[in-house]
Amino acid sequence: MPTYTCWSRRIGISRESKERIAESITDAHHELAGTPHHLIQVLFAEVEPDSHFIGGVAAPDNQVWIRADNPATEEFRDALLQRITAEVALILAVPVTRVWVSITVEEGRR
């Protein structure tokens, strides 16, 4: 079951934005991999402002990190990374540099 976790500082991502992000990720995964919608889950987690650091300094308020626990080929990963990054940045009205997406590449499928 593909699982995506969206981490952010407590920046107040609205329920509507979370729904749009979940729908966007689900649609992207479904369209690129053919996985049925009902098997794709998206979780949201928030961290306290003093608990997220990048390069040893506090992360920006609008930083979002999405991790996919879903082994993938490099080709699938790259297409998904680009699509999720662009769509989440658009939904949250943040620069694409503030949306980091990490997807595992399965050994032997590179």
Side-chain angles (χ1 to χ4, degrees):
M1 176 181 302
T3 301
Y4 293 83
T5 305
C6 305
W7 295 88
S8 68
R9 288 179 60 181
R10 293 194 183 275
I11 60 172
I13 298 176
S14 70
R15 179 183 174 105
E16 177 186 355
S17 291
K18 287 178 182 179
E19 289 173 354
R20 290 177 59 204
I21 291 168
E23 182 179 1
S24 173
I25 291 171
T26 300
D27 287 348
H29 190 102
H30 169 74
E31 290 169 18
L32 292 169
T35 305
H37 285 87
H38 70 276
L39 294 178
I40 303 164
Q41 64 180 348
V42 180
L43 308 169
F44 291 88
E46 295 181 332
V47 295
E48 296 297 328
D50 61 351
S51 296
H52 185 195
F53 292 80
I54 299 172
V57 297
D61 287 341
N62 60 354
Q63 184 72 47
V64 178
W65 178 49
I66 301 170
R67 177 178 163 79
D69 292 322
N70 172 47
T73 64
E74 285 185 10
E75 181 180 322
F76 172 75
R77 179 202 62 195
D78 293 347
L80 200 54
L81 285 171
Q82 292 175 13
R83 183 163 168 184
I84 290 173
T85 300
E87 290 181 6
V88 170
L90 185 63
I91 290 166
L92 296 177
V94 299
V96 293
T97 56
R98 293 289 186 241
V99 180
W100 292 6
V101 182
S102 174
I103 301 172
T104 306
V105 173
E106 186 175 2
E107 283 299 318
R109 296 187 74 187
R110 295 173 192 250

